[in-house]
Amino acid sequence: MERIASREIFWNVESRELLYLLSCAAAAVFLFGMYRKYSVWRQGQPAGRNDRLWYRTMSTMAFVFAQGRILRRRRAGLTHLLVFWGMAVLFAGTIIVALQAHWEVKLLQGRLYPWFKLAMDLAGTGMLVGLLAAIDRRYRRREQGLDSRAEDGIVLALPAGIAVTGFIVESLRIAATQDPWGGWAPVGNAIAHLLRGAASGKLNRAHEIAWLAHSSLALGFIGYIPFSRLIHVVAAPLTTFFRPLGQKGVLTPLDLENEGIRRFGVGAIDDFTWKDLLDTDACVLCGRCQDNCPAHVTGKPLSPGKLIRNLKAQATEKGRMISGDGFVGDLIEEDALWACTTCGSCAEQCPVFVEHVPKFVGLRRRRVLMESKFPTELIPVFRNMESSGNPWGIGRTKRADWCSGLDVKVVSKDGPPEYLFWTGCAGSFDDRNRRVAVAMSGIMSRAGVDFAILGPEENCCGESARRLGNEYLFQSLARENIDTLYGYGIKKVITHCPHCFHALKNEYPQLGGRFEVIHHTEWLARCIETGRIEVKKEARGPVTYQDPCYLGRYNDGYRAPREILKALGFRLTEMPASSRESFCCGAGGGRMWLEERIGERINVRRSGDALGTAAESIATACPFCLTMMEDGVKLKDPSERIRTVDVAELVVEAVR
């Protein structure tokens, strides 16, 4: 067996020297290309991703080798899995063969040798099958979302050529050596049977030529990596390693008090972080981000993938950085910039952890804070938030009118409670959502909870202002709210708005405000489970549930609302896109305050999904979702055969 393993390659001195020269050339080209890429990445701003190195390392290995996110799309995921593992095994096997043949490192001894041959044969077969499937997807079936380019043919042909020539090399070796273990390489052995009658010298020479061709393709592949979309082989593990490990959906604050900063937001390539620029090389244009983007799906000129693609084109021109203000028009269309709902579906579906939303918000910040260029509908919204503490511009003194006639305490009169009920702007001023606030206050009173509201002292949480790019307004509102809450010694907060919940819980700590913030579905589920709230569980009609993006996708609040519905006896009928894949209602990212003039209305599309379930009710847990779904149902089905309700309202109906 050792004799056979030592004869893996039949080449002369000239061939060996040629291969060494090719190896050095491939390494030099690869390193030069990677240096050019690195010179682009390093021009970005700091991103601070050096924490928890051990966890980052181990989790990256899990994501890369298990291909978890890629396999969310089964067919495309399996195709990529076959190619990935095929290349990985063949690469490792080639190194083992080289060590054994040239440096006489004894690795393939005893029973390992036949298993090694089988692994290499299966890896090559799997890789070739995966590549053929990829070619079929891209060129025959032309699957929607795939961004095909001229270089894709090269990217697919190179590894396919490596696999085919690898089989030829193996078959020639088996035929020339009469390898008794050839049966452990089924494909190579089958081809070798066709060559059994050839002269040994011709087989040896053919093997040498085939091996040089195989090696040249492999080395060419390595050198080609930094200059093609194959760069994702290097960049994707890096974006996975440097992905954000903190709370999802939390934006980086601006240091508005630093007089040394002359510009805010993103108005030039070097305003992006190095991670943003690294993202552009990790993206493989798979189309998953835009396929799951509610704005893109409903006909808006927004494609998260196109933003990444354009950013990559802007970032490198002859290997050098481009800097210049006011480049939004070249990077992204104005309408596309403001179409984003910041729902986070693009990042959730991205297999390589590209961060899209912070890029959109960074561009918006530049438009708002430095250039004062934003949709005219936002002028009164910003003004109202600043002067009246709410987007509608209704006087602060009317913020507690929703509970007129109810036994609801106000902190300024009755002192600090155990729980502050953060009513939010919608719960305070929107007629429909006032009913949800009334329902929640009634449940808390019935449960014997010591709660109160801020009333006129409550401001807008500022979340919409922040997503719209007005970081100054967000920080002003947030600091005023934090001072008020600390002034009264508030420690626990319950809110029924996921946007308020996300801001108070996850973003106020950036400004020093740390409180225990609970969404009302979590609190209700806990009270029902412990018996603090007694409900009548009886068979009720089918209900579908609309996942709020800022409760579900950003805060993993999927379980509590569904547990409540099941505890009440409802038969839950999920919409086509739900839970982690949920489709946005269209109001996030400040879109609640902007008109939707292009394409189909997002809430109408989502309401159609709900109507398709044949449910009797649409339940949700967000004021924005409640408004958007109710309006969408009215437009989609004027007969309004399906009602839209908050989970809290359903609990009120079932309370004993």
Side-chain angles (χ1 to χ4, degrees):
M1 190 177 299
E2 293 182 10
R3 179 181 62 82
I4 295 170
S6 67
R7 298 180 62 192
E8 286 286 345
I9 303 171
F10 308 93
W11 51 18
N12 53 37
V13 176
E14 291 78 9
S15 298
R16 183 178 300 178
E17 290 178 349
L18 176 60
L19 189 60
Y20 287 158
L21 288 174
L22 289 174
S23 299
C24 291
V29 172
F30 175 82
L31 292 174
F32 172 71
M34 289 308 304
Y35 174 77
R36 290 185 62 190
K37 289 295 181 183
Y38 174 72
S39 67
V40 172
W41 301 339
R42 68 190 296 269
Q43 298 300 318
Q45 298 298 311
R49 302 294 173 84
N50 299 320
D51 59 322
R52 303 169 64 184
L53 295 180
W54 176 250
Y55 174 77
R56 287 184 181 278
T57 301
M58 300 308 294
S59 60
T60 297
M61 291 177 64
F63 276 115
V64 170
F65 291 115
Q67 304 274 286
R69 279 201 163 198
I70 296 175
L71 287 171
R72 288 181 181 177
R73 283 190 177 181
R74 185 170 300 176
R75 179 178 295 178
L78 288 174
T79 297
H80 192 275
L81 187 71
L82 288 171
V83 175
F84 170 81
W85 273 107
M87 292 182 67
V89 172
L90 291 175
F91 180 73
T94 301
I95 293 176
I96 291 173
V97 169
L99 290 173
Q100 178 118 345
H102 308 302
W103 285 276
E104 298 185 357
V105 178
K106 302 300 183 182
L107 297 174
L108 303 176
Q109 299 185 39
R111 297 181 180 179
L112 286 177
Y113 181 74
W115 290 106
F116 169 79
K117 304 309 297 180
L118 179 62
M120 293 287 282
D121 199 88
L122 292 177
T125 303
M127 176 176 153
L128 201 53
V129 169
L131 289 168
L132 291 174
I135 292 171
D136 178 69
R137 288 181 64 227
R138 189 170 294 277
Y139 295 110
R140 189 182 71 83
R141 290 189 284 118
R142 299 182 182 275
E143 287 189 7
Q144 185 177 4
L146 288 176
D147 183 16
S148 296
R149 296 185 171 192
E151 69 167 316
D152 294 337
I154 302 175
V155 169
L156 294 171
L158 265 177
I162 293 170
V164 171
T165 54
F167 281 125
I168 294 173
V169 168
E170 177 65 2
S171 64
L172 288 168
R173 186 198 64 80
I174 294 172
T177 62
Q178 299 296 312
D179 187 355
W181 301 98
W184 286 81
V187 176
N189 195 49
I191 300 174
H193 276 298
L194 303 176
L195 307 172
R196 294 291 186 188
S200 177
K202 291 183 178 180
L203 289 174
N204 291 348
R205 184 58 182 165
H207 180 276
E208 181 182 349
I209 295 171
W211 178 261
L212 286 173
H214 175 70
S215 301
S216 299
L217 284 174
L219 293 171
F221 179 84
I222 292 172
Y224 185 55
I225 285 174
F227 304 95
S228 68
R229 62 195 300 172
L230 288 169
I231 185 64
H232 83 276
V233 173
V234 177
L238 291 176
T239 55
T240 303
F241 181 87
F242 291 114
R243 71 193 186 280
L245 297 181
Q247 178 65 46
K248 290 186 291 185
V250 175
L251 298 174
T252 302
L254 298 179
D255 187 359
L256 299 172
E257 298 178 359
N258 188 341
E259 296 181 357
I261 299 177
R262 296 186 177 183
R263 63 190 188 196
F264 297 107
V266 175
I269 289 296
D270 47 11
D271 288 332
F272 286 102
T273 69
W274 61 261
K275 172 59 166 59
D276 290 327
L277 301 179
L278 176 62
D279 284 347
T280 65
D281 285 312
C283 176
V284 293
L285 307 177
C286 66
R288 298 190 191 194
C289 54
Q290 69 179 32
D291 290 348
N292 290 276
C293 173
H296 182 82
V297 170
T298 53
K300 315 302 188 288
L302 170 62
S303 166
K306 185 179 179 181
L307 171 68
I308 303 301
R309 183 168 65 248
N310 290 348
L311 177 56
K312 182 174 183 175
Q314 289 278 328
T316 51
E317 182 178 279
K318 297 180 181 178
R320 303 184 62 185
M321 295 296 303
I322 300 174
S323 290
D325 295 339
F327 72 143
V328 168
D330 295 328
L331 193 65
I332 184 173
E333 297 177 37
E334 194 75 27
D335 288 330
L337 176 62
W338 298 102
C340 177
T341 67
T342 69
C343 68
S345 182
C346 48
E348 180 68 29
Q349 299 301 325
C350 179
V352 294
F353 293 93
V354 170
E355 301 167 61
H356 306 82
V357 172
K359 297 175 180 58
F360 285 110
V361 175
L363 292 166
R364 287 180 176 183
R365 284 173 170 175
R366 176 74 177 193
R367 279 316 224 195
V368 173
L369 298 176
M370 302 300 296
E371 301 172 2
S372 295
K373 295 179 180 178
F374 48 86
T376 56
E377 302 105 299
L378 295 180
I379 296 176
V381 174
F382 290 155
R383 184 175 61 243
N384 291 338
M385 286 184 181
E386 185 174 359
S387 60
S388 303
N390 66 83
W392 287 279
I394 301 174
R396 297 174 186 266
T397 58
K398 298 183 179 297
R399 189 173 272 272
D401 286 1
W402 66 270
C403 60
S404 179
L406 301 177
D407 185 19
V408 176
K409 297 178 182 178
V410 179
V411 177
S412 60
K413 298 178 182 178
D414 302 293
E418 178 186 5
Y419 289 97
L420 175 77
F421 178 37
W422 187 274
T423 315
C425 298
S428 299
F429 300 113
D430 178 68
D431 288 339
R432 177 63 186 88
N433 281 287
R434 280 182 168 186
R435 286 150 54 186
V436 180
V438 170
M440 270 304 297
S441 65
I443 294 171
M444 287 189 285
S445 296
R446 195 175 187 90
V449 176
D450 177 24
F451 78 98
I453 63 172
L454 285 176
E457 293 184 272
E458 180 182 302
N459 268 325
C460 176
C461 70
E463 184 274 334
S464 288
R466 184 172 230 193
R467 266 69 194 172
L468 287 166
N470 199 334
E471 179 73 6
Y472 174 81
L473 180 55
F474 164 74
Q475 292 194 20
S476 299
L477 293 167
R479 291 184 191 281
E480 187 174 345
N481 285 328
I482 290 169
D483 290 342
T484 302
L485 293 173
Y486 273 142
Y488 285 118
I490 301 297
K491 297 181 179 179
K492 299 179 181 180
V493 180
I494 297 176
T495 178
H496 73 279
C497 175
H499 298 264
C500 296
F501 169 73
H502 183 73
L504 269 67
K505 179 182 179 182
N506 303 318
E507 296 189 323
Y508 275 30
Q510 296 174 334
L511 305 176
R514 291 175 173 80
F515 313 97
E516 181 185 341
V517 187
I518 307 167
H519 189 259
H520 78 306
T521 54
E522 181 185 354
W523 183 83
L524 288 169
R526 189 187 307 166
C527 288
I528 292 174
E529 183 181 2
T530 60
R532 190 168 188 176
I533 299 175
E534 295 185 14
V535 296
K536 294 179 289 184
K537 182 175 182 179
E538 57 187 45
R540 304 175 192 272
V543 63
T544 191
Y545 177 69
Q546 165 65 13
D547 285 280
C549 301
Y550 277 71
L551 176 62
R553 190 169 290 117
Y554 284 152
N555 289 278
D556 297 318
Y558 301 116
R559 182 181 58 84
R562 289 171 170 81
E563 285 187 347
I564 295 171
L565 295 174
K566 292 177 182 177
L568 301 181
F570 284 101
R571 179 165 54 85
L572 183 61
T573 305
E574 297 283 7
M575 284 183 264
S578 61
S579 296
R580 188 175 59 194
E581 284 78 31
S582 181
F583 197 82
C584 181
C585 73
R591 290 294 315 177
M592 182 73 178
W593 321 110
L594 292 170
E595 289 295 327
E596 199 170 343
R597 299 186 176 90
I598 302 175
E600 182 184 9
R601 294 177 65 92
I602 295 175
N603 65 321
V604 173
R605 167 67 70 89
R606 189 54 171 165
S607 298
D609 292 340
L611 291 168
T613 65
E616 295 177 359
S617 303
I618 303 172
T620 189
C622 171
F624 289 1
C625 290
L626 184 62
T627 298
M628 299 298 280
M629 295 299 288
E630 196 165 68
D631 290 349
V633 168
K634 290 177 181 178
L635 291 171
K636 198 78 175 177
D637 181 18
S639 65
E640 295 186 54
R641 58 182 175 82
I642 184 172
R643 64 171 184 163
T644 308
V645 291
D646 188 273
V647 170
E649 294 176 300
L650 295 177
V651 173
V652 167
E653 295 174 4
V655 168
R656 291 184 184 274

